């Protein structure tokens, strides 16, 4: 599976969680939205070195939030989706450096 397909899968998984947002508290909603928006940004803005650096910075910030967030069942699942996205973001830069 390529990066674009994986990003779409991540967005889908987070969208499903947001559909059930009445079951989520505000922290869970915000983290789901953060992952969804970061996935959308990764899909659209990953062509230049500066775009990839910005994505990495945002991913680091979101990781810090996950590290401080409560470990509810929903947030654990959202963090798993984020980890998939995080891997893509850092691979984009690594793959670009190799070229």
């Amino acid at each position: 599976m390529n990066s674009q397909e994986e990003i779409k899968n991540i967005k889908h998984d987070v969208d499903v969680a947001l559909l059930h947002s009445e079951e989520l508290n505000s922290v869970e909603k915000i983290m789901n939205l953060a992952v969804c928006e970061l996935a959308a940004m990764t899909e659209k803005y990953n062509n230049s070195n500066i775009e990839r650096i910005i994505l990495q910075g945002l991913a680091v910030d979101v990781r810090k939030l996950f590290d401080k967030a409560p470990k509810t069942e929903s947030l654990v699942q959202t963090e798993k989706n984020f980890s998939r996205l995080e891997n893509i973001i850092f691979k984009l830069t690594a793959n670009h450096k190799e070229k």
Side-chain angles (χ1 to χ4, degrees), residues 3-84:
S3 294
Q4 294 295 76
E5 290 173 355
E6 181 67 355
I7 291 169
K8 286 181 190 213
N9 289 339
I10 292 166
K11 285 171 52 181
H12 175 266
D13 292 347
V14 174
D15 284 343
V16 168
L18 287 169
L19 284 175
H20 302 289
S21 64
E22 67 275 356
E23 300 170 5
L24 305 177
N25 67 35
S26 60
V27 172
E28 293 164 331
K29 287 178 189 176
I30 290 168
M31 294 307 290
N32 274 291
L33 287 170
V35 173
C36 190
E37 290 303 313
L38 185 57
M41 291 171 62
T42 302
E43 188 174 39
K44 188 172 182 179
Y45 303 109
N46 65 33
N47 298 314
S48 72
N49 193 40
I50 191 69
E51 289 173 340
R52 289 185 290 276
I53 289 169
I54 290 168
L55 288 170
Q56 284 183 351
L58 292 170
V60 168
D61 290 342
V62 173
R63 171 56 61 200
K64 288 177 185 176
L65 292 173
F66 272 114
D67 290 344
K68 293 181 182 196
K71 299 300 179 201
T72 64
E73 185 178 327
S74 176
L75 278 176
V76 168
Q77 184 57 48
T78 301
E79 187 172 5
K80 287 178 185 177
N81 289 325
F82 171 70
S83 292
R84 292 166 44 207

